[in-house]
Amino acid sequence: MNRRMPSWSHLGVWLCLSLPVAAWAKAPPPVKAVKLTPKEVTALEAPKDGCGLEDIAEGQSFRLVQKGSALDGRMLVGMVCGSGGTSVTFLLYHQDKVQQVLPRHRANDWDVYQVEAVAFSDVDGDGRSDIVTIVSSMAGAGPTAAVPFNVAGVWYQTEDGQFVSDPKAEAILEEVRDPTVKKAVAALKKARVRMK
């Protein structure tokens, strides 16, 4: 029997066809997060939820740079404000105006202490940067009432540059002990939350 071996060009075509379509598209560069300057902070529109610009989480509010994406030029601002107990709110700004108030952070189930970390990672493999945050909170009652503990949160970026929460993701993050950004991302990827 005379069987012909496939040529390298046939093998290349087979490899290309076996890759998912998402792998063909060039992913945008990673998000570069630049801390806001005092001048940028004073130019921001104050939100309408009772927080003021004096409540901005210092060191955890950023101007975003990601050429070719909906995030480029936006600002992500975290605010820790105390209306009826301390809470945290994250806002996305465009040209100094509030573009989106991000969905409620799980840390608001307790008394928020401070924003510990904000990171940008493509958690669901769709090529868009999602937002992962770590916020420390305190129980407010009991023997460990004043001992802060970390709470992870994630918002997924949609095609139009908005951010949404996901109940399955929140359930996964509840199970992560002593969460860090790295642990939160690993748990969500392992659970394949929102992955096709």
Side-chain angles (χ1 to χ4, degrees):
M1 182 179 246
N2 187 6
R3 292 190 111 176
R4 226 174 113 206
M5 293 293 291
S7 69
W8 286 110
S9 61
H10 287 95
L11 184 59
V13 168
W14 178 83
L15 285 173
C16 285
L17 293 175
S18 67
L19 290 173
V21 173
W24 296 356
K26 186 178 179 198
V31 173
K32 181 179 178 186
V34 181
K35 288 184 183 176
L36 295 182
T37 65
K39 185 177 179 181
E40 287 174 314
V41 168
T42 56
L44 295 176
E45 170 187 74
K48 296 172 177 56
D49 66 353
C51 287
L53 296 179
E54 69 278 0
D55 298 314
I56 287 180
E58 288 186 36
Q60 296 298 336
S61 295
F62 306 96
R63 181 171 26 88
L64 310 177
V65 180
Q66 188 182 41
K67 298 295 181 196
S69 89
L71 286 186
D72 193 44
R74 304 298 193 259
M75 295 180 194
L76 180 69
V77 175
M79 293 187 170
V80 178
C81 30
S83 53
T86 306
S87 63
V88 67
T89 302
F90 286 89
L91 304 105
L92 195 64
Y93 280 82
H94 178 57
Q95 296 177 345
D96 303 330
K97 305 284 186 206
V98 175
Q99 179 185 33
Q100 182 188 5
V101 177
L102 273 62
R104 184 180 183 276
H105 197 285
R106 294 185 329 104
N108 288 330
D109 289 346
W110 303 276
D111 291 331
V112 170
Y113 179 59
Q114 68 183 14
V115 179
E116 301 291 343
V118 175
F120 301 88
S121 176
D122 180 7
V123 179
D124 56 0
D126 64 359
R128 294 183 290 273
S129 295
D130 308 305
I131 302 172
V132 181
T133 58
I134 304 294
V135 175
S136 59
S137 290
M138 296 180 285
T144 58
V147 178
F149 55 91
N150 285 347
V151 181
V154 63
W155 296 292
Y156 294 93
Q157 187 181 169
T158 61
E159 286 183 33
D160 61 355
Q162 297 291 297
F163 287 88
V164 296
S165 58
D166 185 285
K168 184 177 178 186
E170 291 184 7
I172 295 295
L173 293 176
E174 279 181 33
E175 302 300 318
V176 179
R177 292 184 162 272
D178 301 318
T180 62
V181 167
K182 188 175 181 178
K183 285 182 180 179
V185 170
L188 292 166
K189 285 187 174 185
K190 183 178 180 183
R192 299 188 57 78
V193 177
R194 295 178 64 91
M195 290 187 181
K196 301 279 188 259

